[in-house]
Amino acid sequence: GEDVEQSLFLSVREGDSSVINCTYTDSSSTYLYWYKQEPGAGLQLLTYIFSNMDMKQDQRLTVLLNKKDKHLSLRIADTQTGDSAIYFCAENEGKDTGFQKLVFGTGTRLLVSP
Amino acid sequence: ETGVTQTPRHLVMGMTNKKSLKCEQHLGHNAMYWYKQSAKKPLELMFVYNFKEQTENNSVPSRFSPECPNSSHLFLHLHTLQPEDSALYLCASSPYPGQLYEQYFGPGTRLTVT
């Protein structure tokens, strides 16, 4: 099976930038995703990137993709306390089966302190 | 109600009990999913239903029995569970099963098996 790995925990101060890293194994993944899970809630799609892109920016979020190293990162600029949550990296699997499924990492818990 | 709802939000059951988890989506989607979220482990896909038909069973033990009576409702019937089955069970839906479609998650049912 495919693997997605993330560090479990990141702590930053309010106003700093946060960088959450992820490595994946499926080189045929067409899309890579970042989901956010706030306490007591389900996962919510934050952003995704096509595998033929190196970078995608969306307001405070910047996604960087290094296909050669199979490394994905999510940068949150000017991190706020409301950004405290668990962030999941995911890749799609099963390109040739007609059914795509998402393979998630363990999630990185981001704690933003005032 | 909007989005994906799950009931109950919390459930404590003994190993000999039988209980059911319910998921309902109000988004007009055709695909529904069950995931298991355990501490410090990747999110695990359990089952996928597409137009009420089960299209994926990710080697889930038979003590978990899904049911999808229509595209809006999904159940997970539980019987003779083990303590290691304690986890957050997340339901999700998407227009169709596939990588191009965002999955919308419910808030989850926190299950504790005693």
Side-chain angles (χ1 to χ4, degrees):
Chain A
E2 306 302 338
D3 272 334
V4 177
E5 294 191 359
Q6 303 176 236
S7 54
L8 289 178
F9 191 73
L10 175 66
S11 179
V12 300
R13 298 187 76 90
E14 192 172 23
D16 289 349
S17 291
S18 307
V19 180
I20 303 171
N21 295 301
C22 168
T23 56
Y24 61 97
T25 57
D26 187 355
S27 58
S28 66
S29 291
T30 313
Y31 298 86
L32 293 131
Y33 305 80
W34 284 105
Y35 277 79
K36 176 183 180 183
Q37 184 180 32
E38 296 182 354
L43 280 68
Q44 180 182 17
L45 181 66
L46 267 184
T47 187
Y48 64 89
I49 187 168
F50 292 97
S51 59
N52 61 358
M53 296 171 64
D54 297 323
M55 185 181 85
K56 180 179 179 181
Q57 187 146 5
D58 183 3
Q59 298 182 328
R60 292 191 297 122
L61 304 179
T62 303
V63 179
L64 296 178
L65 176 60
N66 181 330
K67 279 194 74 174
K68 175 175 170 290
D69 295 338
K70 295 178 193 165
H71 183 266
L72 183 74
S73 68
L74 174 69
R75 179 176 180 270
I76 306 173
D78 187 26
T79 315
Q80 304 297 306
T81 54
D83 295 323
S84 292
I86 303 175
Y87 291 80
F88 291 88
C89 170
E91 63 172 349
N92 68 283
E93 177 188 296
K95 184 177 180 181
D96 298 321
T97 61
F99 168 70
Q100 310 288 330
K101 74 177 188 184
L102 295 180
V103 178
F104 288 86
T106 54
T108 299
R109 183 178 295 276
L110 173 65
L111 179 63
V112 183
S113 53
Chain B
E1 292 253 34
T2 58
V4 181
T5 57
Q6 291 187 242
T7 54
R9 295 291 310 273
H10 300 271
L11 178 63
V12 179
M13 61 185 288
M15 296 194 322
T16 58
N17 291 158
K18 288 184 180 182
K19 295 286 184 184
S20 296
L21 310 184
K22 179 183 175 182
C23 174
E24 185 173 359
Q25 58 96 358
H26 309 269
L27 301 167
H29 291 168
N30 297 298
M32 296 187 77
Y33 312 76
W34 279 117
Y35 286 88
K36 177 183 178 182
Q37 185 179 12
S38 305
K40 299 182 182 177
K41 289 178 69 175
L43 205 63
E44 300 172 55
L45 178 65
M46 299 174 72
F47 301 104
V48 181
Y49 277 81
N50 185 28
F51 288 99
K52 304 186 297 177
E53 299 297 321
Q54 188 182 123
T55 56
E56 182 93 356
N57 176 338
N58 211 24
S59 303
V60 180
S62 59
R63 57 186 184 269
F64 295 92
S65 174
E67 180 191 359
C68 189
N70 54 61
S71 294
S72 299
H73 294 85
L74 185 64
F75 295 89
L76 189 62
H77 303 300
L78 317 170
H79 64 98
T80 57
L81 293 192
Q82 305 297 312
E84 60 265 29
D85 296 323
S86 298
L88 182 68
Y89 288 85
L90 292 166
C91 174
S93 72
S94 67
Y96 300 95
Q99 65 179 6
L100 296 178
Y101 300 100
E102 176 183 350
Q103 293 185 21
Y104 293 76
F105 284 80
T109 295
R110 173 72 61 187
L111 174 68
T112 303
V113 181
T114 59

